[in-house]
């Protein structure tokens, strides 16, 4: 919800610096983590060297001892506080990529290397591991830039090897298996980068939802339910449509037959029922979504969805959930009108469209979901509801 930015919110310890400052994320426990993990990394590298002793390739016989010495040096700097965490981050990433790309290049092009395919297979898992390390040590944009650069460099090595391979018959035998491993390594790296992007966006949306929730507390908080009131919701919706409206959906939800319940059970019970439904809605929506109270009988939900079907399915889940939790023998139901942002819609337009869809749902019998503009309701048959909720 915060738009494209270099500043990815990953937790309470994740901070970013102003433009022109450091590109690294810092956390209060990062130094302690290095003091614990760097010796283990050195032991792992030494173990690899010992296991390959006598039959290892020339690159590992030189590169692994150098890597062990570098790791131990960084461990000393980390534990004695002789270097900053950002310095250790940078040296580790640069040296790790230099070792990985150097090993791949040596394996592919150095003359007289035995078991090239085995060496490539042993190196391949480290590409996605290093790509994942970027998001731990770098800001989002710098991590993406370094990941794409590393993938491009690896891809160029693979392409040079493929173009310089022997005849097609030879490639179809021993070299074809190694080339396949290299391609799979690049695909795994690409998937890793895409997964990181999706995860960071998800976490950023969750953090944005939490900040939006906190921003609505206080004077703009409904006293009965503790939810944001109409003023807070309209402020938030205006901000969301101005910053990143794509994928934004607004649902207006109304408690059915609340007047009749008040006549039969009294005002005190009606307020208890309203608070009960509010708790149900809050417990059912995702962390990044915001639910608030529009009026005496109506709630509103702001959420991010990929399309209309997902918006309807999310509202159906809410409707079914509310109806499954009675209070003192009273089974509450809700009618829902939902709209998804389009180019012509502003914040007030979205609220009005959702309210019109709600009135249509009420006219059609209540306890149903209506999508704005289409004037279609999802069926209330349980099997159809489960099918829609699975979308």
């Amino acid at each position: 919800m915060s738009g494209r930015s270099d500043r990815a919110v990953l937790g309470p310890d994740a901070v970013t610096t102003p433009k022109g400052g450091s590109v690294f994320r810092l956390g209060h426990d990062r130094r302690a983590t290095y003091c614990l993990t760097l010796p283990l990394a050195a032991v792992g590298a030494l173990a690899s060297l010992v296991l390959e002793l006598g039959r290892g390739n020339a690159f590992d016989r030189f590169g692994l001892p150098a890597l062990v010495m570098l790791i131990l040096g960084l461990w000393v700097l980390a534990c004695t506080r002789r270097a900053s965490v950002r310095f250790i981050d940078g040296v580790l990433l640069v040296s790790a990529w230099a070792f990985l790309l150097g090993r791949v290049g040596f394996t592919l092009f150095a003359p007289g290397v035995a078991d090239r395919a085995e060496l490539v297979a042993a190196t391949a898992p480290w590409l996605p591991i290093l790509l994942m390390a970027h998001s731990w040590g770098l800001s989002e944009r710098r991590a993406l830039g370094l990941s794409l650069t590393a993938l491009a460099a690896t891809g160029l090595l693979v392409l040079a090897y493929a173009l310089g391979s022997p005849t097609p018959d030879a490639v179809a035998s021993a070299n074809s298996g190694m080339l396949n491993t290299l391609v799979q390594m690049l695909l795994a790296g690409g998937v890793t980068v895409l997964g990181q992007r999706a995860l960071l966006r998800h976490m950023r949306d969750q953090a944005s939802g939490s900040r939006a929730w906190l921003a609505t507390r206080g004077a703009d908080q409904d006293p009965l339910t503790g939810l944001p009131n109409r003023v807070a919701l309209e402020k938030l919706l205006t901000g969301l449509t101005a910053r990143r409206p794509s994928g934004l959906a607004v649902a207006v939800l109304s408690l059915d037959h609340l007047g009749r319940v008040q006549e039969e059970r009294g005002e005190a019970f009606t307020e208890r029922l309203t608070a009960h439904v509010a708790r149900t809605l809050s417990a059912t929506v995702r962390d990044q979504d915001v639910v608030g109270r529009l009026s005496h009988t109506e709630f509103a939900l702001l959420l991010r969805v990929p399309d209309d079907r997902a918006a309807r399915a999310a509202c159906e889940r809410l409707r079914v959930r509310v109806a499954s939790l009675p209070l003192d023998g009273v089974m509450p139901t809700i009618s829902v009108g939902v709209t998804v942002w389009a180019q012509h819609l502003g914040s007030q337009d979205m609220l009005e469209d959702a309210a019109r869809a709600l009135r249509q749902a009420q006219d059609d019998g209540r306890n149903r979901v209506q999508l704005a503009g289409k004037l279609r309701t999802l069926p209330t048959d349980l099997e159809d509801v489960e099918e829609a909720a699975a979308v």
Side-chain angles (χ1 to χ4, degrees), residues 162-181:
L163 294 177
S165 294
T167 63
D169 290 339
V171 173
S173 56
N175 287 340
S176 62
M178 184 165 65
L179 192 58
N180 179 61
T181 301

Side-chain angles (χ1 to χ4, degrees), residues 91 161 188 203 225 233 260 274 290 314 318 326 335:
V91 172
Y161 173 76
M203 296 179 72
T225 63
L233 285 170
R260 186 174 66 191
T274 302
V290 177
L318 284 177
S335 300

Side-chain angles (χ1 to χ4, degrees), residues 228-253:
N229 61 18
R230 187 182 189 99
V231 173
L233 285 170
E234 289 180 348
K235 288 180 182 177
L236 179 58
L237 181 57
T238 299
L240 293 176
T241 52
R243 290 196 303 272
R244 186 162 67 90
S246 180
L248 180 65
V250 176
V252 177
L253 310 84

Side-chain angles (χ1 to χ4, degrees), residues 9-11 198-208:
V9 181
L10 294 183
L199 178 61
L200 287 172
R201 183 170 183 174
H202 174 71
M203 296 179 72
R204 185 166 58 243
D205 284 346
Q206 284 190 320
S208 298

Side-chain angles (χ1 to χ4, degrees), residues 40-50 64 67-68 71:
L40 299 177
V43 170
L46 280 174
S48 298
L49 183 62
V50 171
L64 282 174
L67 188 62
V68 169
I71 291 173

Side-chain angles (χ1 to χ4, degrees), residues 94-119:
V94 170
S95 59
W97 277 115
F99 180 85
L100 179 68
L101 294 175
R103 193 183 199 199
V104 171
F106 175 86
T107 302
L108 295 181
F109 302 110
V113 177
D115 300 325
R116 294 182 191 270
E118 182 181 344
L119 283 173

Side-chain angles (χ1 to χ4, degrees), residues 146-171:
L146 182 57
S147 296
L148 294 179
T149 301
L151 282 175
T154 309
L156 288 175
L157 289 175
V158 174
L159 180 62
Y161 173 76
L163 294 177
S165 294
T167 63
D169 290 339
V171 173

Side-chain angles (χ1 to χ4, degrees), residues 39 75 97 102 106 112 118 139 142-143 152 182 191 200 224 228 231 288 310 316 327 344 357 371 386:
W75 174 63
W97 277 115
F106 175 86
E118 182 181 344
S139 65
R142 300 303 176 118
L182 291 167
V191 171
L200 287 172
L224 175 64
V231 173
Q288 67 266 36
E316 274 295 344
L327 178 67
H344 65 283
L371 182 63
E386 290 176 348

